[in-house]
Amino acid sequence: MLNEEMIAELVKEVLKGMSSSGGEGKPPTPKESTGQKGSLSVKDYPLGSKKPDTIKSPRGNAFSELTLDAVLQGRATFEDFRIAPEALLMQAEIAESAGRRQVASNLRRAAELTKVPDERVLEIYNALRPHRSTKEELMAIADELENKYNATACATFVREAVSVYERRKLLRGDIPE
């Protein structure tokens, strides 16, 4: 139970830090869609039903082309069924228009993570668990995300986590209070 309480407290600290640095504020009024890029709104959700022509697979196949028949004929592969960063950014735009800034931020970070190999994402996830990594190891991860993958929002997130971990004594080698 102590670990659950520590994790809950950690989440509160991170959210508090994010809202003081421009996170959730007064939600904007939902906007209407004009159908142009950069103008998606809640009326466009879900994209797969409302605007399927805007969704492409990572290999560039149209959403409507992703069928069982296409798989059987070799026109669609596993890679086509992964989410493309552009689709996540469109979802972020919709979330933002609905006043869900934190969800939009999460989707933007997810879009950045599509550039990071799955195995590395899991390694980073495990490294971010309390008492698993040193400050130096986490800062190296932040630098890697920023410099190798151009995942600047994710790098910022890891650096914010480091400062919270330091305050809460959650780095490897820290003794829990």
Side-chain angles (χ1 to χ4, degrees), residues 117-135:
D118 292 348
E119 185 176 294
R120 185 63 181 135
V121 170
L122 290 174
E123 291 168 355
I124 292 168
Y125 169 80
N126 281 320
L128 283 165
R129 295 179 67 190
H131 304 288
R132 294 287 174 99
S133 302
T134 64
K135 176 180 180 176

Side-chain angles (χ1 to χ4, degrees), residues 74-101:
R75 295 188 321 266
T77 67
F78 175 75
E79 183 66 20
D80 288 306
F81 291 92
R82 297 174 61 97
I83 193 156
E86 296 81 10
L88 288 162
L89 293 172
M90 287 187 279
Q91 294 287 5
E93 190 176 337
I94 291 169
E96 190 91 53
S97 79
R100 304 292 305 266
R101 289 188 179 127

